[in-house]
Amino acid sequence: AKADGKNCARVYAPALDENLHLRLRLESDLRQAIEKEEIFVHYQPIIDAGTGVTVAVEALARWSDPLHGHVPPDVFIPIAEMSGLINAIGRQVLMAACQAMRHTNLDLAINLSPAQFWDGGLLDDVRTALEETGFPPERLELEITESLMLRHPQRAVEVVNSLRALGIRIALDDFGTGIASIGYLQQFQLDRLKIDKTFIAPIEHDAKAREMLVSITGLARACNLEICAEGIETDGQARLARMAGCGRLQGWLFGKPQAAAAVVNMLDDAERP
Ligand code: C2E
Ligand code: CA
Ligand code: CA
Ligand code: CA
């Protein structure tokens, strides 16, 4: 086994080096992009399942640069998390999004990564963004993930409560993909559950998946949570999610993430600033 280990090290060392090199390269370029405020935000519409009207948007960070091209957030957000850059990105996204959506009447959902959630400066950052942009707190929703609940549940409850005391709302993102037990839902005062797209994808063709969706929405109702279904790509999925009791729907069927101006132009006259 020892000899094997040695072999492995020899075979894989160059690849690891390359990966590490790329990661460090991305990290330093990301740092510069943040300094030059080149991280921008796209907005994906979220509709009311009953009326079909766009009632909210989710802010999604974007980074493209001449060297790397478009770098997906699934790549640069983890790098930002590991290197501590996420707080700066988070502040820029929060500020830009509140600014861009302030003259609409749309709710605004923003992703919070674990490092941001645990950072002592979060509350101040949120307060500052609300004050400087005049964005109404009751229209702001922060999306957190299940993994937070496992680490220090008691402390996490306190952070959630102090955020909600600002008048903003908290959504549990990617519900069903983590390992948090249902029991944790009781401890947390949350406002919304976002059902992950991996639950939505099979519902048209898989009776079991449909039953699971109905169970999850039942659970959410029991906990007094509103529900948003993510990753709706077809009319059939929209219909089933609506029937299961999802109040809000999000997905390519209704619109991809796009520039603020494009979303605002899409709104009915009544909703446009
Ligand atoms: P997420 O929060 O689950 O965001 C939803 C993702 O699903 C987005 O990917 C969105 O473009 C994609 N999506 C939306 N509708 C559909 C659909 O109908 N079908 C499919 N296949 N995909 C759909 P995106 O923009 O690549 O973001 C990936 C992840 O990166 C996000 O997942 C979120 O976890 C993270 N992220 C993005 N922006 C931020 C940010 O500003 N801060 C933090 N902390 N994380 C972010
Ligand atoms: Ca999200
Ligand atoms: Ca999600
Ligand atoms: Ca996610």
Side-chain angles (χ1 to χ4, degrees), residues 227-262:
I227 311 152
C228 177
E230 298 187 290
I232 302 281
E233 294 180 357
T234 68
D235 285 316
Q237 289 168 347
R239 189 173 48 83
L240 290 167
R242 199 179 293 118
M243 274 167 48
C246 300
R248 289 187 176 185
L249 308 176
Q250 175 180 4
W252 293 345
L253 180 66
F254 310 107
K256 292 202 170 177
Q258 51 205 298

PDB file of all heavy atoms in Angstrom, residues 227-262:
ATOM      1  N   ILE A 227     -43.066  28.747  -0.600  1.00  0.00           N
ATOM      2  CA  ILE A 227     -42.267  27.817  -1.396  1.00  0.00           C
ATOM      3  C   ILE A 227     -41.988  28.368  -2.785  1.00  0.00           C
ATOM      4  O   ILE A 227     -42.899  28.862  -3.462  1.00  0.00           O
ATOM      5  CB  ILE A 227     -43.014  26.476  -1.582  1.00  0.00           C
ATOM      6  CG1 ILE A 227     -43.524  25.961  -0.238  1.00  0.00           C
ATOM      7  CG2 ILE A 227     -42.117  25.443  -2.241  1.00  0.00           C
ATOM      8  CD1 ILE A 227     -44.761  25.107  -0.367  1.00  0.00           C
ATOM      9  N   CYS A 228     -40.731  28.247  -3.190  1.00  0.00           N
ATOM     10  CA  CYS A 228     -40.350  28.590  -4.558  1.00  0.00           C
ATOM     11  C   CYS A 228     -39.722  27.361  -5.199  1.00  0.00           C
ATOM     12  O   CYS A 228     -38.842  26.735  -4.618  1.00  0.00           O
ATOM     13  CB  CYS A 228     -39.357  29.759  -4.555  1.00  0.00           C
ATOM     14  SG  CYS A 228     -38.745  30.199  -6.202  1.00  0.00           S
ATOM     15  N   ALA A 229     -40.217  26.996  -6.378  1.00  0.00           N
ATOM     16  CA  ALA A 229     -39.617  25.879  -7.113  1.00  0.00           C
ATOM     17  C   ALA A 229     -38.605  26.430  -8.116  1.00  0.00           C
ATOM     18  O   ALA A 229     -38.910  27.339  -8.866  1.00  0.00           O
ATOM     19  CB  ALA A 229     -40.692  25.076  -7.832  1.00  0.00           C
ATOM     20  N   GLU A 230     -37.408  25.860  -8.094  1.00  0.00           N
ATOM     21  CA  GLU A 230     -36.336  26.322  -8.986  1.00  0.00           C
ATOM     22  C   GLU A 230     -36.186  25.392 -10.177  1.00  0.00           C
ATOM     23  O   GLU A 230     -36.541  24.217 -10.102  1.00  0.00           O
ATOM     24  CB  GLU A 230     -34.990  26.279  -8.261  1.00  0.00           C
ATOM     25  CG  GLU A 230     -34.846  27.149  -7.061  1.00  0.00           C
ATOM     26  CD  GLU A 230     -33.393  27.100  -6.572  1.00  0.00           C
ATOM     27  OE1 GLU A 230     -32.948  26.066  -6.058  1.00  0.00           O
ATOM     28  OE2 GLU A 230     -32.728  28.120  -6.733  1.00  0.00           O
ATOM     29  N   GLY A 231     -35.630  25.912 -11.256  1.00  0.00           N
ATOM     30  CA  GLY A 231     -35.273  25.078 -12.396  1.00  0.00           C
ATOM     31  C   GLY A 231     -36.466  24.621 -13.217  1.00  0.00           C
ATOM     32  O   GLY A 231     -36.446  23.547 -13.819  1.00  0.00           O
ATOM     33  N   ILE A 232     -37.516  25.453 -13.253  1.00  0.00           N
ATOM     34  CA  ILE A 232     -38.689  25.132 -14.079  1.00  0.00           C
ATOM     35  C   ILE A 232     -38.352  25.408 -15.547  1.00  0.00           C
ATOM     36  O   ILE A 232     -38.090  26.546 -15.925  1.00  0.00           O
ATOM     37  CB  ILE A 232     -39.916  25.983 -13.663  1.00  0.00           C
ATOM     38  CG1 ILE A 232     -40.268  25.766 -12.187  1.00  0.00           C
ATOM     39  CG2 ILE A 232     -41.100  25.693 -14.585  1.00  0.00           C
ATOM     40  CD1 ILE A 232     -41.023  24.500 -11.887  1.00  0.00           C
ATOM     41  N   GLU A 233     -38.356  24.345 -16.347  1.00  0.00           N
ATOM     42  CA  GLU A 233     -37.976  24.503 -17.757  1.00  0.00           C
ATOM     43  C   GLU A 233     -39.130  24.227 -18.712  1.00  0.00           C
ATOM     44  O   GLU A 233     -39.079  24.606 -19.880  1.00  0.00           O
ATOM     45  CB  GLU A 233     -36.788  23.578 -18.083  1.00  0.00           C
ATOM     46  CG  GLU A 233     -35.508  23.969 -17.331  1.00  0.00           C
ATOM     47  CD  GLU A 233     -34.314  23.060 -17.648  1.00  0.00           C
ATOM     48  OE1 GLU A 233     -34.485  22.089 -18.411  1.00  0.00           O
ATOM     49  OE2 GLU A 233     -33.218  23.338 -17.114  1.00  0.00           O
ATOM     50  N   THR A 234     -40.166  23.540 -18.231  1.00  0.00           N
ATOM     51  CA  THR A 234     -41.267  23.180 -19.141  1.00  0.00           C
ATOM     52  C   THR A 234     -42.619  23.576 -18.539  1.00  0.00           C
ATOM     53  O   THR A 234     -42.753  23.734 -17.322  1.00  0.00           O
ATOM     54  CB  THR A 234     -41.315  21.659 -19.397  1.00  0.00           C
ATOM     55  OG1 THR A 234     -41.694  20.993 -18.175  1.00  0.00           O
ATOM     56  CG2 THR A 234     -39.971  21.125 -19.865  1.00  0.00           C
ATOM     57  N   ASP A 235     -43.626  23.695 -19.430  1.00  0.00           N
ATOM     58  CA  ASP A 235     -44.988  23.980 -18.973  1.00  0.00           C
ATOM     59  C   ASP A 235     -45.494  22.898 -18.030  1.00  0.00           C
ATOM     60  O   ASP A 235     -46.175  23.185 -17.052  1.00  0.00           O
ATOM     61  CB  ASP A 235     -45.938  24.076 -20.177  1.00  0.00           C
ATOM     62  CG  ASP A 235     -45.754  25.387 -20.932  1.00  0.00           C
ATOM     63  OD1 ASP A 235     -45.654  26.435 -20.264  1.00  0.00           O
ATOM     64  OD2 ASP A 235     -45.704  25.356 -22.174  1.00  0.00           O
ATOM     65  N   GLY A 236     -45.148  21.657 -18.323  1.00  0.00           N
ATOM     66  CA  GLY A 236     -45.582  20.541 -17.491  1.00  0.00           C
ATOM     67  C   GLY A 236     -45.043  20.646 -16.077  1.00  0.00           C
ATOM     68  O   GLY A 236     -45.764  20.431 -15.098  1.00  0.00           O
ATOM     69  N   GLN A 237     -43.773  21.005 -15.961  1.00  0.00           N
ATOM     70  CA  GLN A 237     -43.173  21.171 -14.627  1.00  0.00           C
ATOM     71  C   GLN A 237     -43.844  22.321 -13.883  1.00  0.00           C
ATOM     72  O   GLN A 237     -44.105  22.231 -12.677  1.00  0.00           O
ATOM     73  CB  GLN A 237     -41.667  21.436 -14.744  1.00  0.00           C
ATOM     74  CG  GLN A 237     -40.869  20.220 -15.186  1.00  0.00           C
ATOM     75  CD  GLN A 237     -39.439  20.562 -15.564  1.00  0.00           C
ATOM     76  OE1 GLN A 237     -39.087  21.738 -15.728  1.00  0.00           O
ATOM     77  NE2 GLN A 237     -38.602  19.544 -15.715  1.00  0.00           N
ATOM     78  N   ALA A 238     -44.135  23.393 -14.600  1.00  0.00           N
ATOM     79  CA  ALA A 238     -44.786  24.559 -13.977  1.00  0.00           C
ATOM     80  C   ALA A 238     -46.155  24.157 -13.429  1.00  0.00           C
ATOM     81  O   ALA A 238     -46.522  24.505 -12.306  1.00  0.00           O
ATOM     82  CB  ALA A 238     -44.917  25.699 -14.986  1.00  0.00           C
ATOM     83  N   ARG A 239     -46.904  23.403 -14.236  1.00  0.00           N
ATOM     84  CA  ARG A 239     -48.243  22.994 -13.832  1.00  0.00           C
ATOM     85  C   ARG A 239     -48.182  22.100 -12.589  1.00  0.00           C
ATOM     86  O   ARG A 239     -48.916  22.301 -11.619  1.00  0.00           O
ATOM     87  CB  ARG A 239     -48.904  22.231 -14.995  1.00  0.00           C
ATOM     88  CG  ARG A 239     -50.375  21.922 -14.812  1.00  0.00           C
ATOM     89  CD  ARG A 239     -50.969  21.316 -16.088  1.00  0.00           C
ATOM     90  NE  ARG A 239     -50.129  20.238 -16.620  1.00  0.00           N
ATOM     91  CZ  ARG A 239     -50.161  18.971 -16.183  1.00  0.00           C
ATOM     92  NH1 ARG A 239     -50.997  18.622 -15.230  1.00  0.00           N
ATOM     93  NH2 ARG A 239     -49.374  18.062 -16.718  1.00  0.00           N
ATOM     94  N   LEU A 240     -47.271  21.139 -12.589  1.00  0.00           N
ATOM     95  CA  LEU A 240     -47.160  20.218 -11.450  1.00  0.00           C
ATOM     96  C   LEU A 240     -46.684  20.940 -10.185  1.00  0.00           C
ATOM     97  O   LEU A 240     -47.173  20.662  -9.090  1.00  0.00           O
ATOM     98  CB  LEU A 240     -46.222  19.060 -11.797  1.00  0.00           C
ATOM     99  CG  LEU A 240     -46.781  18.077 -12.832  1.00  0.00           C
ATOM    100  CD1 LEU A 240     -45.689  17.153 -13.362  1.00  0.00           C
ATOM    101  CD2 LEU A 240     -47.923  17.253 -12.225  1.00  0.00           C
ATOM    102  N   ALA A 241     -45.740  21.853 -10.350  1.00  0.00           N
ATOM    103  CA  ALA A 241     -45.235  22.590  -9.188  1.00  0.00           C
ATOM    104  C   ALA A 241     -46.351  23.462  -8.605  1.00  0.00           C
ATOM    105  O   ALA A 241     -46.499  23.570  -7.384  1.00  0.00           O
ATOM    106  CB  ALA A 241     -44.035  23.450  -9.583  1.00  0.00           C
ATOM    107  N   ARG A 242     -47.143  24.060  -9.486  1.00  0.00           N
ATOM    108  CA  ARG A 242     -48.272  24.889  -9.046  1.00  0.00           C
ATOM    109  C   ARG A 242     -49.280  24.017  -8.295  1.00  0.00           C
ATOM    110  O   ARG A 242     -49.737  24.370  -7.201  1.00  0.00           O
ATOM    111  CB  ARG A 242     -48.934  25.534 -10.267  1.00  0.00           C
ATOM    112  CG  ARG A 242     -49.793  26.735  -9.961  1.00  0.00           C
ATOM    113  CD  ARG A 242     -50.398  27.324 -11.235  1.00  0.00           C
ATOM    114  NE  ARG A 242     -49.413  27.922 -12.120  1.00  0.00           N
ATOM    115  CZ  ARG A 242     -49.156  27.507 -13.370  1.00  0.00           C
ATOM    116  NH1 ARG A 242     -49.821  26.489 -13.895  1.00  0.00           N
ATOM    117  NH2 ARG A 242     -48.243  28.116 -14.094  1.00  0.00           N
ATOM    118  N   MET A 243     -49.591  22.846  -8.871  1.00  0.00           N
ATOM    119  CA  MET A 243     -50.545  21.932  -8.231  1.00  0.00           C
ATOM    120  C   MET A 243     -50.057  21.462  -6.868  1.00  0.00           C
ATOM    121  O   MET A 243     -50.845  21.235  -5.957  1.00  0.00           O
ATOM    122  CB  MET A 243     -50.800  20.710  -9.121  1.00  0.00           C
ATOM    123  CG  MET A 243     -51.901  20.925 -10.150  1.00  0.00           C
ATOM    124  SD  MET A 243     -51.909  19.617 -11.404  1.00  0.00           S
ATOM    125  CE  MET A 243     -51.810  18.139 -10.395  1.00  0.00           C
ATOM    126  N   ALA A 244     -48.740  21.303  -6.742  1.00  0.00           N
ATOM    127  CA  ALA A 244     -48.168  20.837  -5.480  1.00  0.00           C
ATOM    128  C   ALA A 244     -48.169  21.933  -4.420  1.00  0.00           C
ATOM    129  O   ALA A 244     -47.894  21.675  -3.253  1.00  0.00           O
ATOM    130  CB  ALA A 244     -46.745  20.325  -5.696  1.00  0.00           C
ATOM    131  N   GLY A 245     -48.456  23.160  -4.845  1.00  0.00           N
ATOM    132  CA  GLY A 245     -48.573  24.240  -3.867  1.00  0.00           C
ATOM    133  C   GLY A 245     -47.378  25.178  -3.802  1.00  0.00           C
ATOM    134  O   GLY A 245     -47.224  25.917  -2.832  1.00  0.00           O
ATOM    135  N   CYS A 246     -46.549  25.162  -4.840  1.00  0.00           N
ATOM    136  CA  CYS A 246     -45.448  26.131  -4.883  1.00  0.00           C
ATOM    137  C   CYS A 246     -46.016  27.503  -5.264  1.00  0.00           C
ATOM    138  O   CYS A 246     -46.658  27.644  -6.297  1.00  0.00           O
ATOM    139  CB  CYS A 246     -44.392  25.718  -5.909  1.00  0.00           C
ATOM    140  SG  CYS A 246     -43.656  24.110  -5.557  1.00  0.00           S
ATOM    141  N   GLY A 247     -45.781  28.483  -4.435  1.00  0.00           N
ATOM    142  CA  GLY A 247     -46.340  29.820  -4.665  1.00  0.00           C
ATOM    143  C   GLY A 247     -45.541  30.627  -5.669  1.00  0.00           C
ATOM    144  O   GLY A 247     -46.063  31.537  -6.313  1.00  0.00           O
ATOM    145  N   ARG A 248     -44.261  30.317  -5.789  1.00  0.00           N
ATOM    146  CA  ARG A 248     -43.406  31.029  -6.733  1.00  0.00           C
ATOM    147  C   ARG A 248     -42.634  30.039  -7.586  1.00  0.00           C
ATOM    148  O   ARG A 248     -42.287  28.953  -7.129  1.00  0.00           O
ATOM    149  CB  ARG A 248     -42.432  31.962  -6.003  1.00  0.00           C
ATOM    150  CG  ARG A 248     -43.149  33.157  -5.393  1.00  0.00           C
ATOM    151  CD  ARG A 248     -42.202  34.167  -4.808  1.00  0.00           C
ATOM    152  NE  ARG A 248     -42.948  35.331  -4.334  1.00  0.00           N
ATOM    153  CZ  ARG A 248     -42.388  36.437  -3.851  1.00  0.00           C
ATOM    154  NH1 ARG A 248     -41.079  36.529  -3.767  1.00  0.00           N
ATOM    155  NH2 ARG A 248     -43.145  37.444  -3.463  1.00  0.00           N
ATOM    156  N   LEU A 249     -42.397  30.441  -8.831  1.00  0.00           N
ATOM    157  CA  LEU A 249     -41.697  29.581  -9.777  1.00  0.00           C
ATOM    158  C   LEU A 249     -40.546  30.345 -10.425  1.00  0.00           C
ATOM    159  O   LEU A 249     -40.671  31.535 -10.733  1.00  0.00           O
ATOM    160  CB  LEU A 249     -42.661  29.098 -10.878  1.00  0.00           C
ATOM    161  CG  LEU A 249     -43.977  28.448 -10.432  1.00  0.00           C
ATOM    162  CD1 LEU A 249     -44.849  28.133 -11.651  1.00  0.00           C
ATOM    163  CD2 LEU A 249     -43.716  27.177  -9.623  1.00  0.00           C
ATOM    164  N   GLN A 250     -39.442  29.627 -10.629  1.00  0.00           N
ATOM    165  CA  GLN A 250     -38.239  30.230 -11.203  1.00  0.00           C
ATOM    166  C   GLN A 250     -37.613  29.232 -12.156  1.00  0.00           C
ATOM    167  O   GLN A 250     -37.526  28.050 -11.835  1.00  0.00           O
ATOM    168  CB  GLN A 250     -37.258  30.567 -10.061  1.00  0.00           C
ATOM    169  CG  GLN A 250     -35.910  31.102 -10.492  1.00  0.00           C
ATOM    170  CD  GLN A 250     -34.992  31.403  -9.298  1.00  0.00           C
ATOM    171  OE1 GLN A 250     -35.361  31.142  -8.148  1.00  0.00           O
ATOM    172  NE2 GLN A 250     -33.809  31.932  -9.567  1.00  0.00           N
ATOM    173  N   GLY A 251     -37.202  29.692 -13.306  1.00  0.00           N
ATOM    174  CA  GLY A 251     -36.534  28.782 -14.238  1.00  0.00           C
ATOM    175  C   GLY A 251     -36.510  29.354 -15.642  1.00  0.00           C
ATOM    176  O   GLY A 251     -37.096  30.392 -15.916  1.00  0.00           O
ATOM    177  N   TRP A 252     -35.824  28.638 -16.515  1.00  0.00           N
ATOM    178  CA  TRP A 252     -35.629  29.122 -17.877  1.00  0.00           C
ATOM    179  C   TRP A 252     -36.942  29.338 -18.612  1.00  0.00           C
ATOM    180  O   TRP A 252     -37.020  30.144 -19.538  1.00  0.00           O
ATOM    181  CB  TRP A 252     -34.726  28.144 -18.645  1.00  0.00           C
ATOM    182  CG  TRP A 252     -33.331  28.132 -18.095  1.00  0.00           C
ATOM    183  CD1 TRP A 252     -32.784  29.062 -17.242  1.00  0.00           C
ATOM    184  CD2 TRP A 252     -32.308  27.171 -18.348  1.00  0.00           C
ATOM    185  NE1 TRP A 252     -31.485  28.729 -16.946  1.00  0.00           N
ATOM    186  CE2 TRP A 252     -31.163  27.573 -17.614  1.00  0.00           C
ATOM    187  CE3 TRP A 252     -32.244  26.008 -19.123  1.00  0.00           C
ATOM    188  CZ2 TRP A 252     -29.973  26.854 -17.634  1.00  0.00           C
ATOM    189  CZ3 TRP A 252     -31.060  25.291 -19.143  1.00  0.00           C
ATOM    190  CH2 TRP A 252     -29.935  25.704 -18.413  1.00  0.00           C
ATOM    191  N   LEU A 253     -37.995  28.574 -18.228  1.00  0.00           N
ATOM    192  CA  LEU A 253     -39.294  28.770 -18.866  1.00  0.00           C
ATOM    193  C   LEU A 253     -39.742  30.226 -18.766  1.00  0.00           C
ATOM    194  O   LEU A 253     -40.360  30.760 -19.676  1.00  0.00           O
ATOM    195  CB  LEU A 253     -40.334  27.856 -18.201  1.00  0.00           C
ATOM    196  CG  LEU A 253     -41.766  27.925 -18.753  1.00  0.00           C
ATOM    197  CD1 LEU A 253     -41.829  27.407 -20.191  1.00  0.00           C
ATOM    198  CD2 LEU A 253     -42.732  27.113 -17.877  1.00  0.00           C
ATOM    199  N   PHE A 254     -39.412  30.876 -17.678  1.00  0.00           N
ATOM    200  CA  PHE A 254     -39.864  32.259 -17.448  1.00  0.00           C
ATOM    201  C   PHE A 254     -38.778  33.271 -17.754  1.00  0.00           C
ATOM    202  O   PHE A 254     -39.058  34.454 -17.916  1.00  0.00           O
ATOM    203  CB  PHE A 254     -40.328  32.431 -16.003  1.00  0.00           C
ATOM    204  CG  PHE A 254     -41.288  31.363 -15.576  1.00  0.00           C
ATOM    205  CD1 PHE A 254     -40.900  30.371 -14.702  1.00  0.00           C
ATOM    206  CD2 PHE A 254     -42.577  31.347 -16.091  1.00  0.00           C
ATOM    207  CE1 PHE A 254     -41.775  29.361 -14.340  1.00  0.00           C
ATOM    208  CE2 PHE A 254     -43.456  30.343 -15.734  1.00  0.00           C
ATOM    209  CZ  PHE A 254     -43.052  29.345 -14.853  1.00  0.00           C
ATOM    210  N   GLY A 255     -37.544  32.846 -17.786  1.00  0.00           N
ATOM    211  CA  GLY A 255     -36.465  33.771 -18.121  1.00  0.00           C
ATOM    212  C   GLY A 255     -35.145  33.322 -17.536  1.00  0.00           C
ATOM    213  O   GLY A 255     -35.090  32.776 -16.443  1.00  0.00           O
ATOM    214  N   LYS A 256     -34.095  33.550 -18.308  1.00  0.00           N
ATOM    215  CA  LYS A 256     -32.741  33.256 -17.820  1.00  0.00           C
ATOM    216  C   LYS A 256     -32.231  34.474 -17.060  1.00  0.00           C
ATOM    217  O   LYS A 256     -32.809  35.557 -17.163  1.00  0.00           O
ATOM    218  CB  LYS A 256     -31.834  32.944 -19.017  1.00  0.00           C
ATOM    219  CG  LYS A 256     -32.203  31.633 -19.691  1.00  0.00           C
ATOM    220  CD  LYS A 256     -31.045  31.046 -20.498  1.00  0.00           C
ATOM    221  CE  LYS A 256     -31.417  29.633 -20.936  1.00  0.00           C
ATOM    222  NZ  LYS A 256     -30.419  28.999 -21.783  1.00  0.00           N
ATOM    223  N   PRO A 257     -31.164  34.296 -16.301  1.00  0.00           N
ATOM    224  CA  PRO A 257     -30.552  35.462 -15.656  1.00  0.00           C
ATOM    225  C   PRO A 257     -30.104  36.451 -16.734  1.00  0.00           C
ATOM    226  O   PRO A 257     -29.559  36.042 -17.751  1.00  0.00           O
ATOM    227  CB  PRO A 257     -29.341  34.861 -14.928  1.00  0.00           C
ATOM    228  CG  PRO A 257     -29.656  33.408 -14.765  1.00  0.00           C
ATOM    229  CD  PRO A 257     -30.473  33.042 -15.956  1.00  0.00           C
ATOM    230  N   GLN A 258     -30.385  37.721 -16.537  1.00  0.00           N
ATOM    231  CA  GLN A 258     -30.084  38.733 -17.541  1.00  0.00           C
ATOM    232  C   GLN A 258     -29.808  40.079 -16.874  1.00  0.00           C
ATOM    233  O   GLN A 258     -30.039  40.238 -15.680  1.00  0.00           O
ATOM    234  CB  GLN A 258     -31.258  38.855 -18.519  1.00  0.00           C
ATOM    235  CG  GLN A 258     -32.605  39.054 -17.802  1.00  0.00           C
ATOM    236  CD  GLN A 258     -33.790  38.580 -18.630  1.00  0.00           C
ATOM    237  OE1 GLN A 258     -34.005  39.120 -19.700  1.00  0.00           O
ATOM    238  NE2 GLN A 258     -34.526  37.585 -18.135  1.00  0.00           N
ATOM    239  N   ALA A 259     -29.351  41.029 -17.686  1.00  0.00           N
ATOM    240  CA  ALA A 259     -29.025  42.356 -17.158  1.00  0.00           C
ATOM    241  C   ALA A 259     -30.258  43.016 -16.557  1.00  0.00           C
ATOM    242  O   ALA A 259     -31.388  42.740 -16.980  1.00  0.00           O
ATOM    243  CB  ALA A 259     -28.444  43.222 -18.258  1.00  0.00           C
ATOM    244  N   ALA A 260     -30.043  43.890 -15.587  1.00  0.00           N
ATOM    245  CA  ALA A 260     -31.159  44.553 -14.899  1.00  0.00           C
ATOM    246  C   ALA A 260     -32.100  45.234 -15.889  1.00  0.00           C
ATOM    247  O   ALA A 260     -33.328  45.095 -15.785  1.00  0.00           O
ATOM    248  CB  ALA A 260     -30.623  45.562 -13.891  1.00  0.00           C
ATOM    249  N   ALA A 261     -31.540  45.960 -16.864  1.00  0.00           N
ATOM    250  CA  ALA A 261     -32.360  46.712 -17.809  1.00  0.00           C
ATOM    251  C   ALA A 261     -33.300  45.782 -18.572  1.00  0.00           C
ATOM    252  O   ALA A 261     -34.462  46.112 -18.818  1.00  0.00           O
ATOM    253  CB  ALA A 261     -31.484  47.493 -18.776  1.00  0.00           C
ATOM    254  N   ALA A 262     -32.809  44.598 -18.933  1.00  0.00           N
ATOM    255  CA  ALA A 262     -33.617  43.643 -19.687  1.00  0.00           C
ATOM    256  C   ALA A 262     -34.788  43.147 -18.855  1.00  0.00           C
ATOM    257  O   ALA A 262     -35.910  43.000 -19.353  1.00  0.00           O
ATOM    258  CB  ALA A 262     -32.753  42.472 -20.143  1.00  0.00           C
TER     259      ALA A 262
END
